[in-house]
Amino acid sequence: MNRQEVLDKVEGLRLVPVVKLDRVDDALPLCGALCEGGLPVAEITFRTAAAEESIRKVTAAYPDMFVGAGTVINVEQAKRAVDAGAKFLVSPGISRAVTEWALDQGITIFPGTCTPSEVMIALEYDLPVVKFFPAVQYGGLKTIKALAAPFPTIRFMPTGGINADNVKEYLAFDKIIACGGSWMVKDSLIKEGAFDKIRDLTAEAVALTK
């Protein structure tokens, strides 16, 4: 997928579940629950050793699901993620090495930013969308609106502290392309195998984005 196709997909979905998997065996039932709940997208984070194989299994089993890799902090992880089938990359901060590798490969990347200086680095690479992380801890919507004023060409994907109580407020601001969230895919629910609950929470989350 080219960058515009990825951005259109993200904007259409409005919400990107941020997934941490400790066990590869949980990947397929979890992503099945997301799809059944009406949200066929997952940012599978490289916080655990299960990430790479989970991405590989999910992209094979659910070819129409929009799967990306999160918490990508170095080029080696970026390569493994893309080789496994990730369609996009998300980083907690902005790394020139990772960003340049992604751009060279034609892979869409959403680097993490939370300051004007970091947004300016993203602009050096002509990136149209950045992650804003950790959103709530760095001032939330007020800070995003403040950053949007001097950088009118940039849009944001806030992640960190987004939940069912505040997601509508974030999505109402036109400079926000989508929100990243994990409240429907909580660690505890995954570990308990509560995939029906994840499906239901996902459906409720989707309803909030309409």
Side-chain angles (χ1 to χ4, degrees):
M1 299 176 76
N2 65 37
R3 182 165 74 181
Q4 193 56 53
E5 289 171 334
V6 170
L7 296 181
D8 289 346
K9 187 80 169 175
V10 169
E11 185 161 24
L13 291 162
R14 305 286 278 156
L15 186 60
V16 177
V18 180
V19 175
K20 181 172 84 71
L21 290 165
D22 292 305
R23 300 176 300 228
V24 174
D25 288 347
D26 291 330
L28 295 187
L30 172 70
C31 288
L34 288 172
C35 290
E36 289 171 16
L39 197 57
V41 56
E43 175 194 324
I44 297 176
T45 61
F46 266 70
R47 297 181 189 179
T48 73
E52 181 180 359
E53 187 60 23
S54 295
I55 292 170
R56 185 170 285 108
K57 282 185 174 292
V58 171
T59 53
Y62 295 97
D64 295 329
M65 191 172 188
F66 188 49
V67 180
T71 322
V72 176
I73 61 173
N74 55 53
V75 172
E76 185 255 343
Q77 286 181 338
K79 289 178 179 177
R80 287 166 51 205
V82 172
D83 286 346
K87 299 292 192 300
F88 62 94
L89 303 175
V90 185
S91 296
I94 187 160
S95 158
R96 287 187 181 273
V98 175
T99 299
E100 289 168 10
W101 182 87
L103 292 175
D104 286 345
Q105 302 299 312
I107 302 296
T108 301
I109 184 166
F110 302 99
T113 64
C114 59
T115 67
S117 296
E118 290 164 339
V119 173
M120 288 176 69
I121 293 172
L123 287 172
E124 290 178 24
Y125 294 104
D126 197 29
L127 297 179
V129 179
V130 293
K131 177 179 180 175
F132 180 74
F133 175 80
V136 169
Q137 291 84 348
Y138 274 88
L141 190 55
K142 287 183 179 180
T143 301
I144 293 172
K145 288 181 175 179
L147 288 170
F151 305 119
T153 63
I154 281 276
R155 299 182 75 191
F156 300 87
M157 184 165 67
T159 305
I162 309 298
N163 55 49
D165 295 326
N166 60 20
V167 66
K168 286 177 74 75
E169 182 182 11
Y170 277 89
L171 290 174
F173 184 46
D174 64 353
K175 293 296 183 180
I176 291 176
I177 189 171
C179 288
S182 59
W183 78 91
M184 77 297 289
V185 288
K186 286 181 181 176
D187 241 10
S188 56
L189 294 175
I190 296 172
K191 288 175 179 174
E192 292 165 12
F195 299 111
D196 287 350
K197 177 67 172 176
I198 289 171
R199 177 200 61 207
D200 295 344
L201 287 172
T202 300
E204 292 170 10
V206 170
L208 291 172
T209 69
K210 303 300 183 186

